[in-house]
Amino acid sequence: MLEFISLLWAGEILGVSFVATIVKFQATVYGATMPALLGVGKVTFSLQNVIDLAMVVVLSLVLLSRHIWGTPVSMWTVGIYVGVLVIIAVQSFYLLPVLDVRTLAYINGNPMPPSPHHIIFAVLESIKVLLLLVFPIKSLLLK
């Protein structure tokens, strides 16, 4: 179950963060304005964050149920889980609020100077996907 959930979650992140987002910003070719696209991105990443938080709860319940039913949960598994949890906390409580302010400033015609926040978010998203893929890859390799 852990492997399925983490693979599903990683696929969802890849689809939203690394495919849909990149494609969305190519829509300027078809007349979409940058403020409109940023508004769509703000809504998209707000929903993505809700999904991330829900998936953390599901993953937590899976790990808790393993513990309750006596299935060993390795420290390695706990470490990966904690890594994902820390990334989501940083994204939810620091990066997304900062990026929301920057997005709204741009939409309102007051763009802010460049900052590393988007790159940090993308790097953390990449690390989160890699961490989530460890579970199914480990499961395949150990069979």
Side-chain angles (χ1 to χ4, degrees):
M1 181 63 97
L2 175 67
E3 295 80 6
F4 172 76
I5 291 167
S6 62
L7 187 59
L8 179 70
W9 188 3
E12 185 269 331
I13 293 168
L14 287 169
V16 171
S17 295
F18 297 104
V19 176
T21 299
I22 293 167
V23 170
K24 174 183 64 194
F25 284 101
Q26 293 176 354
T28 55
V29 173
Y30 298 103
T33 65
M34 188 59 72
L37 294 172
L38 288 170
V40 170
K42 183 178 180 319
V43 171
T44 301
F45 280 96
S46 292
L47 178 59
Q48 170 71 38
N49 188 245
V50 170
I51 292 168
D52 279 349
L53 294 171
M55 293 303 280
V56 162
V57 170
V58 170
L59 202 59
S60 300
L61 291 173
V62 168
L63 291 173
L64 183 62
S65 69
R66 280 188 173 185
H67 179 71
I68 289 170
W69 295 107
T71 304
V73 177
S74 71
M75 289 308 292
W76 192 78
T77 298
V78 171
I80 290 172
Y81 167 76
V82 168
V84 170
L85 194 62
V86 167
I87 288 171
I88 291 170
V90 169
Q91 289 177 322
S92 298
F93 303 113
Y94 173 65
L95 287 172
L96 285 175
V98 168
L99 292 172
D100 280 350
V101 168
R102 297 179 62 77
T103 298
L104 290 174
Y106 190 98
I107 290 170
N108 292 324
N110 302 311
M112 301 172 96
S115 79
H117 295 97
H118 280 97
I119 292 172
I120 294 168
F121 189 91
V123 167
L124 290 177
E125 239 2 36
S126 300
I127 294 168
K128 182 170 46 175
V129 167
L130 291 173
L131 288 173
L132 288 169
L133 289 175
V134 167
F135 296 123
I137 290 171
K138 178 184 164 211
S139 179
L140 286 172
L141 293 176
L142 294 179
K143 287 192 178 204

